[in-house]
Amino acid sequence: MKHTLSVLVEDEAGVLTRIAGLFARRGFNIESLAVGPAEQLGISRITMVVPGDDTVIEQITKQLYKLINVLKVQDITTTPCVERELMLLKVNATPANRSEVLELVQIFRAKVVDVSDDSVTIEVAGDPGKMVAIVQMVNKFGIREIARTGKIALVRESGVNTEYLKSLEARL
């Protein structure tokens, strides 16, 4: 199972290197990694997606807390969260199929950020499922390049699990 960890760290040089080194030494993999300033000056939030069962995640959490600059580690996998990713896709778009590509861009509420005679570059922001879906849909045109950020996530203060609500709507 993939787990999403939200880690607050002191914003100092070498913190990310120490965390990556810890994962490498223990043989753990990081599938997705996003780092940026947090709400408090001098603190950064690292959001990472890590494969493993609950025992592995517990071990990772304990090891992370041993690092000096780590302030808080939270497994937010099963917690109601707002999750987003950003992706840039360069897709073949000839005059024959350009209108179909642009229609998909609208359906996914994406944006065209660059156009050439034979391609378009699309910016997509949304939950990880949206990223997978648009890649599947534009794959038939030919994808030239993909650049994708790691997942970022914040816990929903309302506690409302939108995935649960979506499953209820699907039944109606």
Side-chain angles (χ1 to χ4, degrees), residues 19-148:
I19 290 173
L22 171 101
F23 275 75
R25 283 190 306 278
R26 303 279 184 223
F28 300 133
N29 188 32
I30 300 172
E31 290 189 4
S32 169
L33 182 69
V35 183
E39 56 280 359
Q40 189 177 346
L41 189 64
I43 306 293
S44 290
R45 181 179 310 278
I46 300 173
T47 306
M48 58 179 96
V49 177
V50 181
D53 58 20
D54 291 338
T55 307
V56 169
I57 300 307
E58 185 179 331
Q59 185 180 8
I60 288 171
T61 301
K62 287 177 182 176
Q63 293 297 318
L64 284 169
Y65 272 121
K66 288 182 181 180
L67 297 176
I68 295 168
N69 302 105
V70 173
L71 304 172
K72 183 178 181 182
V73 180
Q74 194 175 9
D75 183 357
I76 59 174
T77 307
T78 58
T79 307
C81 292
V82 177
E83 299 176 336
R84 294 292 182 267
E85 285 189 38
L86 174 67
M87 179 171 55
L88 295 174
L89 278 164
K90 190 180 294 182
V91 179
N92 291 328
T94 62
N97 68 12
R98 188 177 303 266
S99 63
E100 192 177 351
V101 171
L102 294 176
E103 189 176 320
L104 284 171
V105 168
Q106 286 181 341
I107 290 169
F108 281 93
R109 295 186 193 134
K111 292 191 311 191
V112 173
V113 292
D114 189 47
V115 179
S116 74
D117 291 338
D118 58 353
S119 72
V120 295
T121 302
I122 304 164
E123 175 187 305
V124 189
D127 64 75
K130 182 178 181 178
M131 302 298 128
V132 171
I134 195 167
V135 167
Q136 287 177 345
M137 293 303 295
V138 299
N139 204 27
K140 64 184 174 188
F141 304 112
I143 297 173
R144 292 185 181 187
E145 292 180 73
I146 295 179
R148 190 169 168 178

Side-chain angles (χ1 to χ4, degrees), residues 150-171:
K151 181 189 336 184
I152 57 171
L154 289 177
V155 172
R156 287 186 182 274
E157 288 299 314
S158 65
V160 175
N161 185 343
T162 56
E163 293 303 315
Y164 175 70
L165 294 176
K166 286 179 191 176
S167 71
L168 288 179
E169 284 180 359
R171 292 182 200 160

